[in-house]
Amino acid sequence: MEVGQMQSRLADYTKSLFMEGILDAQFLQLQQLQDESNPDFVVEVVSLFFDDSEKLLNDIARALDQQCVDFKKIDAHVHQLKGSSSSVGAQRVKNACVAFRNFCEEQNAEESRRCLQQVKQEYYLVKNKLETLFTLEQQIVAAGGSVPMIELSF
Amino acid sequence: MMDSTCAHSSSSAKVMENGEQPHVLAVDDSLADRKLIEKLLKNSSCKVTTAENGPRALEVLGLGDGQHNNLEGRISKVNLIITDYCMPGMTGYELLKKVKQESSIMKEVPVVVVSSENVPTRINKCLEEGAQMFMLKPLKQSDVKKLRCQLMNRRS
């Protein structure tokens, strides 16, 4: 596949992520911040988000497994996850966190467990999509091309 | 008062009057957010120091426990503090209070509080305590540009 085709494929793939609501405008902000002085900025920030999220998801799961569920602690974790997903533009993860926090407030353990599954699902989805996106970018760069800036009108 | 007619220069670094870039202290417990705010600030020609919590921020400011508040000895003067509101331990609000309750010139340093949550009582509380501004996360480049402009106008 030649570079032009790879670039179109990447553009289409990226656009689909926005259309499906998996990513929002904040992700574009990250891309716009990437420059020659920080050529791997997006990957770096997203990697921090992945590390953070996985730890938080584990902490939440563990807390929900306790005899006496500490909803305040869980809410704090979900708040953090909401914040970091919001910062990278992972819209569906963020929205799932918002729903989760409502059940934390109600101290509803069963619904909270369901929400955790929902958040995990959205998280693994965005992780998978972003890893694919980064791979497509790497392929273009490896073939000597450059990654075009996506033009999107909202 | 916010000067809404501040100029937006599209050319390179708009520096401080005395030739220095503004030094901003960014406080946030999230590593991803620290990285993000740092880049946003550097893109607006600011020198940046980050801190992961309130106590560490106070150390950077020379206001930490056990530190002698020697203004002459401080190498790098901080021109602006941007702090997340929700942090474990000392919150951004508590950090704001500590700075504003200083008897030294440190209390004049503008403090901007950022939060992912739009809670009016929280916002009012911060403004009443002397916060320069309250902004919603995630911050965008345009937010930081506006902030820097404000800072410039304040100093001149």
Side-chain angles (χ1 to χ4, degrees):
Chain A
M1 198 187 276
E2 53 94 33
V3 173
Q5 281 180 296
M6 286 195 232
Q7 287 171 329
S8 304
R9 186 174 63 166
L10 173 63
D12 289 342
Y13 189 73
T14 311
K15 278 179 192 157
S16 74
L17 298 184
F18 285 98
M19 298 302 279
E20 289 167 40
I22 295 173
L23 293 178
D24 64 27
Q26 181 61 18
F27 186 75
L28 287 178
Q29 277 285 315
L30 289 190
Q31 288 187 317
Q32 282 164 16
L33 287 173
Q34 189 159 289
D35 56 25
E36 312 80 51
S37 64
N38 286 83
D40 300 311
F41 183 73
V42 181
V43 172
E44 285 169 5
V45 177
V46 169
S47 300
L48 291 173
F49 163 65
F50 289 161
D51 291 342
D52 212 26
S53 301
E54 274 161 53
K55 183 178 178 302
L56 287 168
L57 289 170
N58 282 336
D59 289 346
I60 294 167
R62 222 183 358 256
L64 278 171
D65 265 343
Q66 301 302 310
Q67 273 273 6
C68 192
V69 180
D70 186 346
F71 284 101
K72 213 164 157 225
K73 187 157 79 164
I74 293 173
D75 183 71
H77 289 323
V78 179
H79 169 82
Q80 263 187 286
L81 184 54
K82 185 191 118 190
S84 57
S85 57
S86 170
S87 292
V88 300
Q91 187 174 251
R92 302 228 287 234
V93 177
K94 179 186 76 175
N95 291 342
C97 287
V98 172
F100 195 159
R101 291 192 79 194
N102 290 332
F103 289 114
C104 286
E105 218 174 315
E106 288 177 23
Q107 309 222 341
N108 188 329
E110 196 172 311
E111 285 301 316
S112 293
R113 282 185 195 106
R114 197 188 54 79
C115 282
L116 175 60
Q117 289 320 307
Q118 187 65 25
V119 173
K120 270 180 151 167
Q121 199 173 298
E122 294 299 348
Y123 167 71
Y124 286 115
L125 178 64
V126 74
K127 181 167 196 259
N128 188 274
K129 296 285 185 181
L130 285 173
E131 284 173 343
T132 301
L133 191 140
F134 295 146
T135 303
L136 291 175
E137 286 183 345
Q138 278 164 13
Q139 286 170 352
I140 291 171
V141 171
S146 61
V147 177
M149 195 63 88
I150 303 292
E151 295 291 324
L152 280 174
S153 44
F154 282 93
Chain B
M1 273 298 276
M2 199 156 122
D3 180 1
S4 55
T5 59
C6 65
H8 290 277
S9 172
S10 57
S11 63
S12 59
K14 211 175 186 190
V15 297
M16 306 296 276
E17 284 189 308
N18 55 5
E20 286 171 21
Q21 290 184 321
H23 182 191
V24 184
L25 171 59
V27 194
D28 198 312
D29 59 311
S30 159
L31 185 46
D33 284 348
R34 286 202 299 279
K35 199 172 165 75
L36 188 54
I37 184 77
E38 183 178 33
K39 188 71 171 97
L40 286 171
L41 289 167
K42 281 186 172 162
N43 277 13
S44 283
S45 313
C46 294
K47 181 168 167 240
V48 188
T49 300
T50 58
E52 60 186 347
N53 56 45
R56 181 76 197 104
L58 290 173
E59 268 176 36
V60 171
L61 296 167
L63 303 175
D65 282 339
Q67 273 179 308
H68 176 56
N69 192 2
N70 180 354
L71 294 175
E72 274 82 72
R74 238 177 322 120
I75 302 160
S76 201
K77 191 170 106 107
V78 168
N79 303 114
L80 171 69
I81 300 166
I82 297 181
T83 179
D84 190 18
Y85 181 92
C86 279
M87 294 190 291
M90 189 187 292
T91 64
Y93 173 69
E94 285 159 356
L95 174 61
L96 163 69
K97 274 200 343 193
K98 283 221 179 316
V99 172
K100 293 302 163 185
Q101 281 165 9
E102 262 291 300
S103 52
S104 71
I105 199 156
M106 285 309 296
K107 74 167 184 278
E108 300 301 316
V109 178
V111 181
V112 171
V113 181
V114 299
S115 176
S116 56
E117 295 176 315
N118 191 348
V119 181
T121 47
R122 178 183 291 185
I123 298 171
N124 289 331
K125 188 168 84 163
C126 290
L127 294 175
E128 274 165 26
E129 199 60 43
Q132 169 90 353
M133 258 180 111
F134 186 98
M135 296 177 98
L136 283 180
K137 276 166 104 173
L139 291 183
K140 300 192 290 288
Q141 194 66 73
S142 54
D143 294 326
V144 176
K145 277 204 172 104
K146 203 176 356 183
L147 201 51
R148 198 187 181 298
C149 228
Q150 262 210 339
L151 191 65
M152 292 294 288
N153 289 342
R154 224 174 166 260
R155 279 180 67 90
S156 54

